[in-house]
Amino acid sequence: MTTLRPLCHKPPARLAGPGPGAVLAGGLFAVSRLSWQWSMVAEVFTLYNLFVSLLFCFIISFQVAENATQRMKIAHWGALCCGLGLCNQHTLVLYILVIIPWVFHRLYSHKELSLRILVSLGVCFIAGFLPYIYLPISSYLNTARWSWGDQTTLSGLLTHLLRAEYGTSLR
């Protein structure tokens, strides 16, 4: 005997998956003159766009994750991506200020938020800042070819990290 579903039952909408719109958008982006023109320029905004795209991918994957293990794995990769993205461009903080409370709320609503999880997510986030260790080392060894300023001193490192050269210093 088969059971019939009610006519008003609809499957949950998903934000991810293949579709003609995604194929069209990807194809148009791939043949865009501007994309190819700027692909040869070394600029921070290209990497910034990658990190923003990754964050949106992680958000969608986190939203549709089916179990706690998947959610934890995605949350840890997202925390690492947030840290790495902030190494590249500080304006990513505008996304992160919204994403982090949302992730904590989702984990709390699934009763998966604990001190151990907070610490492990924090470690992943801090691990994303590890590229900053390279700055004083390369400055000391005089191998920092494209870095501005002298990062061998704490003052020079803070000047670079806070983007004081661009007028965005918090000091």
Side-chain angles (χ1 to χ4, degrees), residues 12-16 54-76 78 98-99 101-107 109-110 112:
R14 294 203 178 240
L15 300 174
L54 281 173
L55 284 177
F56 280 117
C57 180
F58 287 137
I59 289 169
I60 292 167
S61 299
F62 185 83
Q63 174 68 28
V64 299
E66 295 177 359
N67 57 43
T69 305
Q70 287 179 348
R71 272 189 293 279
M72 286 301 112
K73 183 177 178 182
I74 294 165
H76 284 92
V98 175
I99 292 170
W102 177 78
V103 167
F104 287 167
H105 173 71
R106 295 282 301 166
L107 291 173
S109 66
H110 286 286
E112 297 166 358

Side-chain angles (χ1 to χ4, degrees), residues 45-123:
F45 300 111
T46 307
L47 191 55
Y48 174 73
N49 291 338
L50 172 68
F51 284 119
V52 170
S53 300
L54 281 173
L55 284 177
F56 280 117
C57 180
F58 287 137
I59 289 169
I60 292 167
S61 299
F62 185 83
Q63 174 68 28
V64 299
E66 295 177 359
N67 57 43
T69 305
Q70 287 179 348
R71 272 189 293 279
M72 286 301 112
K73 183 177 178 182
I74 294 165
H76 284 92
W77 280 108
L80 180 68
C81 183
C82 287
L84 284 170
L86 284 174
C87 277
N88 177 57
Q89 183 74 350
H90 292 167
T91 56
L92 193 72
V93 76
L94 299 173
Y95 291 99
I96 293 173
L97 287 175
V98 175
I99 292 170
I100 290 176
W102 177 78
V103 167
F104 287 167
H105 173 71
R106 295 282 301 166
L107 291 173
Y108 180 77
S109 66
H110 286 286
K111 296 180 179 32
E112 297 166 358
L113 190 62
S114 67
L115 181 60
R116 185 180 62 81
I117 297 298
L118 284 175
V119 169
S120 66
L121 289 173
V123 166

